[in-house]
Amino acid sequence: MNRAKTRTRVLLFAAVALAALFVLLTVSLTTGEMRIPAPTALRALVGLGDSGDVLVVQQFRAPRSVAAIVGGAGLGVAGCVLQRLFRNPLASPDVMGITGGASLGAVALIAVGASQTLVPLGALGGGLLAALLLGVFAWGSGLAVTRLVLTGLAVQAGLAAAVNLMIVRFPAELAGSALQWTTGSVYGRTWTEVWGAGGAMVLALTAAFVLHRRLAVLDLGDDSAGALGLNTAATRLQLLVLAVVLASLAAALAGPVTFVALAVPHVVRFLTGPPTAASLALAGLTGAVLLLASDLVVQHLLPIEGLPVGAVTATLGAPWLLVLMFRQSSPVQRSHA
């Protein structure tokens, strides 16, 4: 009976999230300086109708919306994998240094005057660099959970300091562009960027589902997983690299957006119960809804023009993080530890 109830909750949650995503996507394609009726916008999306409508929808609005959807999905799944991997509800790409690495890679390319098209590639390379540093510094402990978290915090702090130093040294015209990117933004995304990162994201998400059984075994604890024949250190490294790739690809599209990877796993767990393979799919769907909704808030509901989407997610993330910290430190939580 409980399994049937859980399945019903999962299906209901998935249906609501899919409906919300469709509504948000329709709104993003129809609203702006030039309002386009929904039927017209949907026809323009597939190249039908007035050439002006097709240009606006296909070349400006659709790439931005798809970038938010793909980036949000990657962040949601990355956060879900990291929190289960470290058995820590506060684990996220920010904590593990991935965000700092992505920012450093992007800002370094901005500093040398590279094309905006190459900046997302810098973010991906920076995220992988952060993972390499994390692995090097934590390898001596056998990739123990506590050592990984502490090392991640140190890597994140060091990379963030390097980014801030570079921005301070930039000429004024480059500093503004770099600062906006490091806050997180999907403004100006092109189909070239979306297809490149999106294709890689599909492969990474597929790998996440393939490795889910190993992640489920790790949920039992290292001793039990080892007794079942799982090489815990190698498996943890594989899952860590996968989470880094997911978060780095998301950063390549949307910048180092905060809060999404932290909050989404909690929302999914609260609404659907213990983690399963379906939880990963729901985390990706929820992350897509959250990031696209945040971008729409930035575009149409706030009076400040040009505000990056990361400003909205960071504003939401601060109180959420405080709530999580209080819950973790409460007597009830300690009594169950």
Side-chain angles (χ1 to χ4, degrees):
M1 185 64 179
N2 289 335
R3 184 174 297 178
K5 286 184 177 180
T6 300
R7 186 177 303 165
T8 301
R9 291 169 66 181
V10 167
L11 291 175
L12 180 61
F13 184 88
V16 171
L18 283 171
L21 188 61
F22 177 77
V23 170
L24 291 170
L25 179 59
T26 302
V27 171
S28 70
L29 295 178
T30 57
T31 55
E33 292 185 6
M34 186 177 81
R35 291 187 174 275
I36 302 175
T40 303
L42 294 176
R43 286 198 301 271
L45 184 62
V46 294
L48 301 177
D50 181 77
S51 58
D53 294 336
V54 172
L55 176 65
V56 170
V57 172
Q58 285 193 347
Q59 300 303 317
F60 297 104
R61 296 180 182 174
R64 178 170 184 162
S65 301
V66 175
I69 291 171
V70 175
L75 287 172
V77 175
C80 190
V81 170
L82 285 174
Q83 290 185 14
R84 291 177 62 183
L85 181 62
F86 298 132
R87 296 187 288 276
N88 188 328
L90 299 179
S92 73
D94 307 332
V95 174
M96 305 315 301
I98 303 169
T99 298
S103 297
L104 181 64
V107 169
L109 285 187
I110 293 174
V112 299
S115 168
Q116 280 294 118
T117 307
L118 297 177
V119 172
L121 295 178
L124 177 58
L128 295 175
L129 172 63
L132 178 62
L133 293 174
L134 185 62
V136 168
F137 292 139
W139 186 263
S141 64
L143 298 177
V145 172
T146 302
R147 179 69 175 270
L148 277 169
V149 172
L150 293 176
T151 303
L153 287 170
V155 169
Q156 174 70 14
L159 293 174
V163 169
N164 290 333
L165 180 61
M166 291 177 68
I167 291 177
V168 169
R169 296 290 184 180
F170 276 180
E173 62 273 13
L174 290 180
S177 175
L179 189 59
Q180 183 184 40
W181 195 93
T182 56
T183 308
S185 176
V186 289
Y187 174 77
R189 289 293 172 260
T190 65
W191 281 120
T192 300
E193 297 166 351
V194 170
W195 285 121
M201 185 73 80
V202 169
L203 295 177
L205 290 173
T206 301
F209 286 103
V210 170
L211 292 174
H212 177 265
R213 287 191 176 182
R214 297 186 183 184
L215 181 59
V217 175
L218 276 182
D219 286 340
L220 302 175
D222 286 0
D223 292 339
S224 297
L228 291 173
L230 186 70
N231 186 331
T232 56
T235 300
R236 181 166 284 116
L237 180 60
Q238 291 173 354
L239 290 166
L240 177 61
V241 170
L242 175 62
V244 169
V245 170
L246 285 168
S248 298
L249 289 171
L253 282 173
V257 176
T258 59
F259 174 66
V260 176
L262 175 66
V264 163
H266 294 274
V267 173
V268 172
R269 189 162 52 246
F270 176 76
L271 294 176
T272 64
T276 63
S279 300
L280 291 180
L282 292 176
L285 189 56
T286 305
V289 169
L290 181 56
L291 191 56
L292 182 56
S294 298
D295 189 48
L296 288 175
V297 169
V298 165
Q299 292 184 69
H300 307 300
L301 297 183
L302 295 180
I304 305 174
E305 185 177 354
L307 191 69
V309 66
V312 173
T313 60
T315 302
L316 294 172
W320 184 278
L321 183 59
L322 288 174
V323 170
L324 288 178
M325 293 178 66
F326 280 126
R327 288 186 61 189
Q328 287 300 109
S329 61
S330 67
V332 175
Q333 292 289 336
R334 286 196 298 266
S335 67
H336 290 289

